[in-house]
mmCIF file of all heavy atoms in Angstrom:
data_model
loop_
_atom_site.group_PDB
_atom_site.id
_atom_site.type_symbol
_atom_site.label_atom_id
_atom_site.label_comp_id
_atom_site.label_asym_id
_atom_site.label_seq_id
_atom_site.Cartn_x
_atom_site.Cartn_y
_atom_site.Cartn_z
ATOM 1 N N VAL V 1506 -2.080 24.001 -12.781
ATOM 2 C CA VAL V 1506 -2.709 25.134 -13.512
ATOM 3 C C VAL V 1506 -3.472 24.561 -14.737
ATOM 4 O O VAL V 1506 -4.608 24.822 -14.922
ATOM 5 C CB VAL V 1506 -1.664 26.148 -13.992
ATOM 6 C CG1 VAL V 1506 -2.325 27.317 -14.641
ATOM 7 C CG2 VAL V 1506 -0.815 26.595 -12.804
ATOM 8 N N LEU V 1507 -2.763 23.755 -15.540
ATOM 9 C CA LEU V 1507 -3.344 23.315 -16.779
ATOM 10 C C LEU V 1507 -3.936 21.886 -16.638
ATOM 11 O O LEU V 1507 -3.304 21.053 -15.992
ATOM 12 C CB LEU V 1507 -2.294 23.215 -17.856
ATOM 13 C CG LEU V 1507 -1.609 24.486 -18.294
ATOM 14 C CD1 LEU V 1507 -0.529 24.199 -19.334
ATOM 15 C CD2 LEU V 1507 -2.682 25.418 -18.908
ATOM 16 N N ARG V 1508 -5.098 21.681 -17.206
ATOM 17 C CA ARG V 1508 -5.672 20.363 -17.139
ATOM 18 C C ARG V 1508 -5.208 19.582 -18.328
ATOM 19 O O ARG V 1508 -5.363 20.012 -19.456
ATOM 20 C CB ARG V 1508 -7.198 20.417 -17.174
ATOM 21 C CG ARG V 1508 -7.782 19.102 -16.797
ATOM 22 C CD ARG V 1508 -9.246 19.190 -16.529
ATOM 23 N NE ARG V 1508 -9.946 19.299 -17.807
ATOM 24 C CZ ARG V 1508 -11.297 19.291 -17.844
ATOM 25 N NH1 ARG V 1508 -11.994 19.192 -16.768
ATOM 26 N NH2 ARG V 1508 -11.903 19.348 -19.037
ATOM 27 N N PRO V 1509 -4.549 18.394 -18.112
ATOM 28 C CA PRO V 1509 -4.064 17.632 -19.261
ATOM 29 C C PRO V 1509 -5.226 16.970 -20.013
ATOM 30 O O PRO V 1509 -6.253 16.666 -19.399
ATOM 31 C CB PRO V 1509 -3.156 16.592 -18.607
ATOM 32 C CG PRO V 1509 -3.691 16.391 -17.217
ATOM 33 C CD PRO V 1509 -4.250 17.749 -16.823
ATOM 34 N N GLU V 1510 -5.058 16.791 -21.281
ATOM 35 C CA GLU V 1510 -6.013 16.065 -22.098
ATOM 36 C C GLU V 1510 -5.535 14.622 -22.264
ATOM 37 O O GLU V 1510 -4.321 14.332 -22.131
ATOM 38 C CB GLU V 1510 -6.144 16.705 -23.438
ATOM 39 C CG GLU V 1510 -6.649 18.144 -23.448
ATOM 40 C CD GLU V 1510 -8.086 18.267 -22.919
ATOM 41 O OE1 GLU V 1510 -8.922 17.351 -23.184
ATOM 42 O OE2 GLU V 1510 -8.403 19.203 -22.210
ATOM 43 N N LEU V 1511 -6.502 13.764 -22.586
ATOM 44 C CA LEU V 1511 -6.112 12.347 -22.866
ATOM 45 C C LEU V 1511 -5.569 12.292 -24.312
ATOM 46 O O LEU V 1511 -6.255 12.518 -25.250
ATOM 47 C CB LEU V 1511 -7.422 11.470 -22.741
ATOM 48 C CG LEU V 1511 -7.187 9.957 -22.851
ATOM 49 C CD1 LEU V 1511 -6.331 9.471 -21.672
ATOM 50 C CD2 LEU V 1511 -8.508 9.260 -22.824
ATOM 51 N N GLU V 1512 -4.232 12.041 -24.407
ATOM 52 C CA GLU V 1512 -3.556 12.126 -25.679
ATOM 53 C C GLU V 1512 -2.828 10.826 -25.989
ATOM 54 O O GLU V 1512 -2.369 10.130 -25.049
ATOM 55 C CB GLU V 1512 -2.582 13.225 -25.682
ATOM 56 C CG GLU V 1512 -3.263 14.619 -25.769
ATOM 57 C CD GLU V 1512 -2.263 15.754 -25.718
ATOM 58 O OE1 GLU V 1512 -1.179 15.574 -25.157
ATOM 59 O OE2 GLU V 1512 -2.633 16.801 -26.290
ATOM 60 N N ALA V 1513 -2.736 10.524 -27.246
ATOM 61 C CA ALA V 1513 -2.045 9.284 -27.652
ATOM 62 C C ALA V 1513 -0.578 9.378 -27.278
ATOM 63 O O ALA V 1513 0.110 10.402 -27.579
ATOM 64 C CB ALA V 1513 -2.228 9.069 -29.164
ATOM 65 N N VAL V 1514 -0.015 8.364 -26.695
ATOM 66 C CA VAL V 1514 1.434 8.286 -26.472
ATOM 67 C C VAL V 1514 2.060 7.213 -27.330
ATOM 68 O O VAL V 1514 3.279 7.191 -27.478
ATOM 69 C CB VAL V 1514 1.773 7.989 -24.960
ATOM 70 C CG1 VAL V 1514 1.432 9.216 -24.096
ATOM 71 C CG2 VAL V 1514 1.048 6.799 -24.485
ATOM 72 N N SER V 1515 1.259 6.360 -27.881
ATOM 73 C CA SER V 1515 1.753 5.410 -28.868
ATOM 74 C C SER V 1515 0.523 4.967 -29.670
ATOM 75 O O SER V 1515 -0.526 5.524 -29.479
ATOM 76 C CB SER V 1515 2.361 4.186 -28.207
ATOM 77 O OG SER V 1515 1.407 3.423 -27.525
ATOM 78 N N ALA V 1516 0.742 4.061 -30.631
ATOM 79 C CA ALA V 1516 -0.283 3.765 -31.586
ATOM 80 C C ALA V 1516 -1.640 3.425 -30.885
ATOM 81 O O ALA V 1516 -2.717 3.880 -31.350
ATOM 82 C CB ALA V 1516 0.112 2.548 -32.437
ATOM 83 N N ASP V 1517 -1.598 2.662 -29.832
ATOM 84 C CA ASP V 1517 -2.910 2.306 -29.259
ATOM 85 C C ASP V 1517 -3.052 2.668 -27.779
ATOM 86 O O ASP V 1517 -3.885 2.097 -27.088
ATOM 87 C CB ASP V 1517 -3.199 0.827 -29.491
ATOM 88 C CG ASP V 1517 -1.964 -0.070 -29.226
ATOM 89 O OD1 ASP V 1517 -0.995 0.477 -28.608
ATOM 90 O OD2 ASP V 1517 -2.039 -1.214 -29.560
ATOM 91 N N ARG V 1518 -2.214 3.577 -27.317
ATOM 92 C CA ARG V 1518 -2.322 3.940 -25.920
ATOM 93 C C ARG V 1518 -2.497 5.427 -25.699
ATOM 94 O O ARG V 1518 -1.932 6.236 -26.501
ATOM 95 C CB ARG V 1518 -1.060 3.472 -25.122
ATOM 96 C CG ARG V 1518 -0.905 2.024 -25.122
ATOM 97 C CD ARG V 1518 0.204 1.598 -24.220
ATOM 98 N NE ARG V 1518 -0.067 1.881 -22.822
ATOM 99 C CZ ARG V 1518 0.726 1.582 -21.833
ATOM 100 N NH1 ARG V 1518 1.892 0.965 -22.066
ATOM 101 N NH2 ARG V 1518 0.381 1.848 -20.601
ATOM 102 N N LYS V 1519 -3.291 5.765 -24.665
ATOM 103 C CA LYS V 1519 -3.491 7.171 -24.432
ATOM 104 C C LYS V 1519 -3.265 7.470 -22.954
ATOM 105 O O LYS V 1519 -3.578 6.602 -22.068
ATOM 106 C CB LYS V 1519 -4.927 7.588 -24.725
ATOM 107 C CG LYS V 1519 -5.271 7.619 -26.203
ATOM 108 C CD LYS V 1519 -6.753 7.889 -26.371
ATOM 109 C CE LYS V 1519 -7.101 8.254 -27.764
ATOM 110 N NZ LYS V 1519 -8.517 8.649 -27.841
ATOM 111 N N VAL V 1520 -2.704 8.625 -22.642
ATOM 112 C CA VAL V 1520 -2.448 8.985 -21.259
ATOM 113 C C VAL V 1520 -2.797 10.482 -21.094
ATOM 114 O O VAL V 1520 -2.563 11.268 -22.002
ATOM 115 C CB VAL V 1520 -0.986 8.764 -20.907
ATOM 116 C CG1 VAL V 1520 -0.685 9.249 -19.460
ATOM 117 C CG2 VAL V 1520 -0.660 7.316 -20.980
ATOM 118 N N SER V 1521 -3.335 10.781 -19.942
ATOM 119 C CA SER V 1521 -3.662 12.181 -19.622
ATOM 120 C C SER V 1521 -2.726 12.663 -18.557
ATOM 121 O O SER V 1521 -3.006 12.630 -17.385
ATOM 122 C CB SER V 1521 -5.096 12.246 -19.214
ATOM 123 O OG SER V 1521 -5.333 13.493 -18.523
ATOM 124 N N CYS V 1522 -1.521 13.115 -18.975
ATOM 125 C CA CYS V 1522 -0.498 13.536 -18.006
ATOM 126 C C CYS V 1522 0.477 14.470 -18.751
ATOM 127 O O CYS V 1522 1.022 14.113 -19.775
ATOM 128 C CB CYS V 1522 0.211 12.382 -17.416
ATOM 129 S SG CYS V 1522 1.558 12.842 -16.270
ATOM 130 N N HIS V 1523 0.740 15.651 -18.131
ATOM 131 C CA HIS V 1523 1.685 16.570 -18.792
ATOM 132 C C HIS V 1523 3.092 15.995 -18.851
ATOM 133 O O HIS V 1523 3.774 16.075 -19.839
ATOM 134 C CB HIS V 1523 1.786 17.913 -17.932
ATOM 135 C CG HIS V 1523 0.515 18.675 -17.941
ATOM 136 N ND1 HIS V 1523 -0.057 19.193 -19.105
ATOM 137 C CD2 HIS V 1523 -0.325 19.010 -16.977
ATOM 138 C CE1 HIS V 1523 -1.136 19.828 -18.785
ATOM 139 N NE2 HIS V 1523 -1.333 19.756 -17.459
ATOM 140 N N VAL V 1524 3.476 15.378 -17.693
ATOM 141 C CA VAL V 1524 4.872 14.945 -17.584
ATOM 142 C C VAL V 1524 5.163 13.744 -18.448
ATOM 143 O O VAL V 1524 6.151 13.668 -19.179
ATOM 144 C CB VAL V 1524 5.197 14.670 -16.103
ATOM 145 C CG1 VAL V 1524 6.624 14.252 -15.926
ATOM 146 C CG2 VAL V 1524 4.897 15.902 -15.283
ATOM 147 N N VAL V 1525 4.257 12.766 -18.387
ATOM 148 C CA VAL V 1525 4.450 11.556 -19.180
ATOM 149 C C VAL V 1525 4.277 11.849 -20.650
ATOM 150 O O VAL V 1525 5.010 11.408 -21.482
ATOM 151 C CB VAL V 1525 3.490 10.464 -18.701
ATOM 152 C CG1 VAL V 1525 3.497 9.218 -19.656
ATOM 153 C CG2 VAL V 1525 3.741 10.020 -17.292
ATOM 154 N N GLY V 1526 3.230 12.663 -20.933
ATOM 155 C CA GLY V 1526 2.926 12.971 -22.349
ATOM 156 C C GLY V 1526 4.082 13.645 -23.064
ATOM 157 O O GLY V 1526 4.343 13.388 -24.282
ATOM 158 N N ARG V 1527 4.809 14.502 -22.365
ATOM 159 C CA ARG V 1527 5.908 15.250 -22.940
ATOM 160 C C ARG V 1527 6.985 14.323 -23.428
ATOM 161 O O ARG V 1527 7.660 14.592 -24.441
ATOM 162 C CB ARG V 1527 6.480 16.141 -21.842
ATOM 163 C CG ARG V 1527 7.204 17.360 -22.366
ATOM 164 C CD ARG V 1527 7.713 18.159 -21.206
ATOM 165 N NE ARG V 1527 6.697 18.695 -20.306
ATOM 166 C CZ ARG V 1527 6.827 18.738 -18.962
ATOM 167 N NH1 ARG V 1527 7.855 18.250 -18.377
ATOM 168 N NH2 ARG V 1527 5.819 19.172 -18.238
ATOM 169 N N ALA V 1528 7.161 13.214 -22.707
ATOM 170 C CA ALA V 1528 8.260 12.267 -23.115
ATOM 171 C C ALA V 1528 7.856 11.378 -24.300
ATOM 172 O O ALA V 1528 8.696 10.688 -24.868
ATOM 173 C CB ALA V 1528 8.612 11.404 -21.903
ATOM 174 N N SER V 1529 6.593 11.450 -24.680
ATOM 175 C CA SER V 1529 6.173 10.563 -25.749
ATOM 176 C C SER V 1529 6.567 11.080 -27.120
ATOM 177 O O SER V 1529 6.588 12.316 -27.369
ATOM 178 C CB SER V 1529 4.604 10.510 -25.725
ATOM 179 O OG SER V 1529 4.067 10.420 -26.987
ATOM 180 N N PRO V 1530 6.935 10.165 -28.039
ATOM 181 C CA PRO V 1530 7.326 10.579 -29.391
ATOM 182 C C PRO V 1530 6.135 11.243 -30.144
ATOM 183 O O PRO V 1530 6.381 12.003 -31.083
ATOM 184 C CB PRO V 1530 7.735 9.309 -30.029
ATOM 185 C CG PRO V 1530 7.120 8.180 -29.263
ATOM 186 C CD PRO V 1530 7.028 8.703 -27.865
#
Side-chain angles (χ1 to χ4, degrees):
Chain V
V1506 185
L1507 295 177
R1508 193 170 76 174
E1510 298 295 323
L1511 189 63
E1512 286 178 333
V1514 289
S1515 67
D1517 45 10
R1518 297 188 66 178
K1519 289 175 167 187
V1520 175
S1521 163
C1522 175
H1523 294 299
V1524 180
V1525 173
R1527 207 181 295 141
S1529 144

